[in-house]
Amino acid sequence: MAAEPMDRGSGLPDEAGRELYLSVLAQGGRIPLSTVPAGDREAVDQLVAVGLLIPNLIDGAYVAVSPRAVGERIGSEMRSAAADLLWKAERLPADLDHLTRAYDSLPRQSDDPQRATYVDGRERIRHRIAELVSDCKQELLTAQPGPRQPATITLARTQDIALVQRGARMRTLYQPQVLAEPWTLGYAAELTEQGAGLRVLDEPFERMLIIDREVAVVPAANDYSRAAFISDPAAVSVLVKIFDRDWARADVVQWAEIDAPAVAASAGHRVGRLLAQGLTQRAVATRLGLSERTVAAHISRLREKYGAQTLFQLGWLMRGSRRD
């Protein structure tokens, strides 16, 4: 059986240390310094550190000490440390008060519950979202269609891990293309291990972020350079219902087990399947959350594979291939 590690918080020795202490008691409560085997040296050091053994250099022996006395001493130290931590916890808001007042004094656009507040510029949007998420206490809902950039994931990681570690719930929706992104897979696996929920929905859906079911953030421009911050309870409630509907249809993913290269290789097949259904290049790009350039590259490879000259001919040939 593996030895139980020493509990540094309580000061208790591991199993080997306990067995050695019992052995010392069996020998009358003392053992000569010179007779300690080399293999027991770590256990002896533990017992000395805890205070269960005291080296008596005059008599050249280790002497056992009452565990009751040691327990009372350690218990007193722990109670004192706990009282000190409680005092510091009580003082913390006051110690940070001047910083809090400075933070609250920053000029901000007011979130009028009766109308949406618009923020222009991606940097200002990110800053406002970071402020809201840092104050999130209960739940964060996010719908993130399209691919995720490594820099975006790096930024989100620190923010989102802090959120779930302080006890807030988090649910995120992605589209299937993120399954080919190693950086997103690593982030999603780590967040899932922390208790967050991340699913994949193979359908078009709109980008949104909802904080504590009180404020919703949605794009107000196609290039995401403008965002609407909505705090009207009725509007936010509708957006939450839309998110919950999509969440219920989304797939649970074992993020740590995904083979990103294999998923990337299958992207062309997904493009081909949609072309065979009669979708245009632009419609395929919208459906999959890909750029039209990426879809065009997949179509070029499919044309070469099927010997198609036009997009219509490619769709026709692929429909025939699916029936064979």
Side-chain angles (χ1 to χ4, degrees), residues 24 62 120 160 165 187 194 201 209 225 270 286 294 318 320:
V24 172
Y62 288 106
D120 293 297
D160 295 344
Q165 287 183 342
Y187 157 85
Q194 294 283 341
L201 179 63
L209 183 147
S225 62
R270 297 180 66 241
T286 301
T294 299
M318 294 190 70

Side-chain angles (χ1 to χ4, degrees), residues 100-227:
T100 302
R101 282 187 282 107
Y103 178 84
D104 290 341
S105 69
L106 286 174
R108 297 186 179 89
Q109 291 176 280
S110 61
D111 294 328
D112 185 348
Q114 301 303 318
R115 63 182 182 86
T117 299
Y118 292 89
V119 176
D120 293 297
R122 295 187 181 187
E123 184 176 345
R124 293 183 61 198
I125 293 171
R126 285 194 296 268
H127 179 69
R128 182 67 181 124
I129 289 175
E131 288 180 334
L132 291 169
V133 173
S134 70
D135 287 333
C136 179
K137 297 177 178 61
Q138 298 178 350
E139 183 182 50
L140 177 66
L141 308 177
T142 61
Q144 301 284 2
R148 309 292 290 154
Q149 298 302 318
T152 303
I153 290 297
T154 299
L155 180 65
R157 180 187 175 279
T158 301
Q159 176 178 272
D160 295 344
I161 287 180
L163 182 138
V164 296
Q165 287 183 342
R166 65 175 180 262
R169 298 184 301 275
M170 177 180 170
R171 288 186 287 157
T172 298
L173 283 173
Y174 286 135
Q175 286 182 313
Q177 60 265 40
V178 303
L179 301 177
E181 301 169 355
W183 51 89
T184 302
L185 294 180
Y187 157 85
E190 186 174 8
L191 263 293
T192 300
E193 188 175 346
Q194 294 283 341
L198 297 96
R199 294 184 179 181
V200 167
L201 179 63
D202 192 7
E203 299 175 14
F205 57 86
E206 297 300 322
R207 186 184 300 270
M208 74 171 74
L209 183 147
I210 305 172
I211 303 98
D212 284 337
R213 305 199 174 206
E214 294 179 351
V215 180
V217 187
V218 298
N222 290 335
D223 61 355
Y224 303 120
S225 62
R226 195 176 201 218

